[in-house]
Amino acid sequence: MAELAIAGGRPVRAEPYPDWPHGDDEDVAAVEEVVRGGRWGGFPEPGPKAAAFEEAFAAYQGAEHGVLMANGTVTMEVALKALGIGWGDEVILPALTFAATVYAPIAAGAVPVVVDVTPDTWTIDPDLVEAAITPRTRAIMPVHLGHQMADMDRVMEIARAHDLAVVEDCAHAHGQRWIGKGAGCIGDFGSFSHQSSKIMTAGEGGTLLTNDDRLARLAHSIIDCGRPKDDAEAEYTFGANYRLSELSAALLTVAMGRFPEQQAQRATLGAIFEGLVADVPGVRVMPHDPRITRWSFYRYVLAIEPDAFAGRTNQVVCDALEAEGVGAWTGYEPMSHYDLFQPSLSRLPVAVEHADRLDPAKMSFPVAEAAGLRESVYVDENVFRSDRAGIEHAVEAIAKIQRHADELPEG
Ligand SMILES: Cc1ncc(COP(=O)(O)O)c(C=O)c1O
């Protein structure tokens, strides 16, 4: 008789974890108010709901300004454009992230320079950032991945020493704080996604945070077809329509109101999970960086040792976890193997010297490759909005899969 649910046994967790996105009468009332009020669109930019959300989210995260727009991909493109980054410039980013991070510099006309991540956090390796700097380097884009944050002390030190801009990809990091400073408020810009899987969502949407008045004005202008945003109405830019509708902004104001309680619950249950799961054989818990002073995360990232799971990959372990009733995902493929990363189709006119940098077949990222292809298991966020029993079920599911790994399908 099989033990593992994937092989026909009984799942550890029978009842579902909390739903996501979570919506109730408050969301319906917020949308209804916009529908009945007649001001549906994002023009004139920002609309009242967008402005209210921008102010609330910027204050919560600790930035001077928020700029709400269509999604968390164009946010990064807009940030680079506002910083004046374009043709011939180079932007350094990590090998383990969503395709959007590497898309942004290409969309702005710059060359993405991809470097490997650290084994401890799977975020950008500052030593490799330093080694990749050339006279054309203009910016670094660290990604705060899963429940981690990139080493912002080192990133900022390198940026200052070489006069580089920093755009933080905070799609996973709403609520996170680094030595008291909010994610997205440390570099020149922080980019957040409000896509439906993200922890502050309206289905779609993205926010840029910045402490710089001029950069905020430029970002508002770029997303509003280049309309001037200065008092003299004179400062035109080159832009397009990346505005978000007021219906979505209304949902975000509700999501913002709920967020602090969700963050506290995630941090409490995340700490319990981390303590318990560290005892499961074959599971590597990454060191908890004490510089993260407010903890809030998209998904909790574990490393499995495939040998302790009968040589199976993270994909098989994630499938087995799903069967046990615990949502799990392998995370991103490394940039050298990523189906969504096809830079040659961008027709970016790169100089011969850059050709290798944009050819995935010539890229090698040993840490990101081991993580993305074999080791990384992202435990779904809804586990951390359940309760202690939900955490124990998730840990027991991982332990059970490890104990009975010989029942796992090949792969
Ligand atoms: C790390 C990362 N960056 C950027 C994005 C892009 O966000 P969006 O889907 O809102 O465009 C996502 C998520 O989708 C992401 O996970």
Side-chain angles (χ1 to χ4, degrees):
M1 174 72 185
E3 290 291 329
L4 296 186
I6 199 167
R10 250 167 58 137
V12 170
R13 173 88 178 174
E15 66 273 42
Y17 282 102
D19 60 349
W20 192 258
H22 170 76
D24 61 26
D25 290 348
E26 211 186 336
D27 301 85
V28 174
V31 172
E32 184 178 352
E33 187 193 327
V34 176
V35 171
R36 296 197 188 281
R39 173 76 192 269
W40 294 7
F43 177 80
E45 192 279 341
K49 294 287 181 197
F53 172 72
E54 289 167 346
E55 198 184 326
F57 182 50
Y60 174 71
Q61 209 65 16
E64 291 291 320
H65 306 280
V67 186
L68 181 63
M69 59 193 86
N71 55 63
T73 301
V74 296
T75 40
M76 294 184 280
E77 176 191 339
V78 169
L80 294 173
K81 287 178 171 170
L83 287 160
I85 293 170
W87 306 115
D89 295 333
E90 295 175 3
V91 176
I92 302 175
L93 47 82
L96 208 56
T97 181
F98 186 49
T101 321
V102 72
Y103 166 86
I106 297 180
V111 178
V113 175
V114 185
V115 300
D116 209 347
V117 294
T118 72
D120 271 2
T121 62
W122 289 341
T123 62
I124 198 162
D125 184 331
D127 291 338
L128 297 178
V129 170
E130 256 178 329
I133 292 172
T134 75
R136 290 175 298 275
T137 307
R138 295 287 312 282
I140 310 170
M141 293 179 66
V143 179
H144 303 310
L145 192 78
H147 70 274
Q148 299 282 10
M149 288 187 74
D151 184 341
M152 289 309 291
D153 293 356
R154 288 284 316 280
V155 168
M156 293 310 293
E157 198 180 282
I158 296 167
R160 281 188 204 108
H162 296 270
D163 197 19
L164 306 176
V166 173
V167 176
E168 300 168 64
D169 184 346
C170 309
H172 297 187
H174 314 66
Q176 295 266 53
R177 283 201 174 188
W178 179 264
I179 321 181
K181 271 194 166 180
C185 311
I186 307 166
D188 297 270
F189 273 117
S191 161
F192 293 80
S193 165
H194 306 300
Q195 175 260 359
S196 42
S197 74
K198 301 303 187 308
I199 56 177
M200 188 183 290
T201 187
E204 299 289 354
T207 299
L208 274 180
L209 297 183
T210 182
N211 288 319
D212 185 303
D213 299 354
R214 186 178 150 272
L215 288 177
R217 248 192 353 263
L218 281 170
H220 274 295
S221 173
I222 292 168
I223 68 164
D224 190 22
C225 311
R227 290 186 174 87
K229 300 290 174 179
D230 59 327
D231 289 341
E233 297 277 302
E235 201 178 40
Y236 280 85
T237 57
F238 186 66
N241 177 7
Y242 290 163
R243 297 181 306 258
L244 190 70
S245 94
E246 283 286 280
L247 296 157
S248 304
L251 287 173
L252 282 170
T253 58
V254 179
M256 179 66 244
R258 289 188 186 123
F259 192 85
E261 200 181 320
Q262 293 168 346
Q263 175 274 324
Q265 189 185 15
R266 245 190 320 271
T268 303
L269 294 182
I272 297 172
F273 177 81
E274 196 161 61
L276 295 176
V277 82
D279 293 335
V280 177
V283 167
R284 183 162 64 88
V285 168
M286 301 193 200
H288 193 110
D289 198 321
R291 292 172 295 181
I292 299 178
T293 48
R294 185 173 68 193
W295 200 31
S296 176
F297 51 88
Y298 172 52
R299 286 170 179 162
Y300 188 96
V301 189
L302 292 170
I304 57 150
E305 289 159 14
D307 286 349
F309 285 80
R312 305 305 201 276
T313 61
N314 51 349
Q315 183 61 63
V316 174
V317 172
C318 286
D319 293 346
L321 267 171
E322 291 277 350
E324 298 295 342
V326 179
W329 173 58
T330 58
Y332 306 110
E333 296 168 278
M335 221 38 87
S336 45
H337 287 67
Y338 201 164
D339 289 343
L340 287 181
F341 180 50
Q342 301 291 338
S344 60
L345 301 180
S346 75
R347 300 180 158 214
L348 182 69
V350 286
V352 176
E353 61 190 302
H354 287 317
D356 284 4
R357 288 198 174 150
L358 289 180
D359 182 352
K362 294 187 175 140
M363 295 175 174
S364 167
F365 309 116
V367 181
E369 282 158 17
L373 303 176
R374 293 187 293 283
E375 298 172 356
S376 63
V377 171
Y378 291 52
V379 180
D380 277 3
E381 184 271 344
N382 60 358
V383 169
F384 306 95
R385 268 182 302 109
S386 62
D387 51 18
R388 178 148 190 137
I391 294 296
E392 285 170 357
H393 285 148
V395 174
E396 170 50 18
I398 299 166
K400 178 183 166 193
I401 293 166
Q402 195 279 327
R403 279 197 308 275
H404 301 284
D406 53 349
E407 289 180 16
L408 288 169
E410 290 300 324

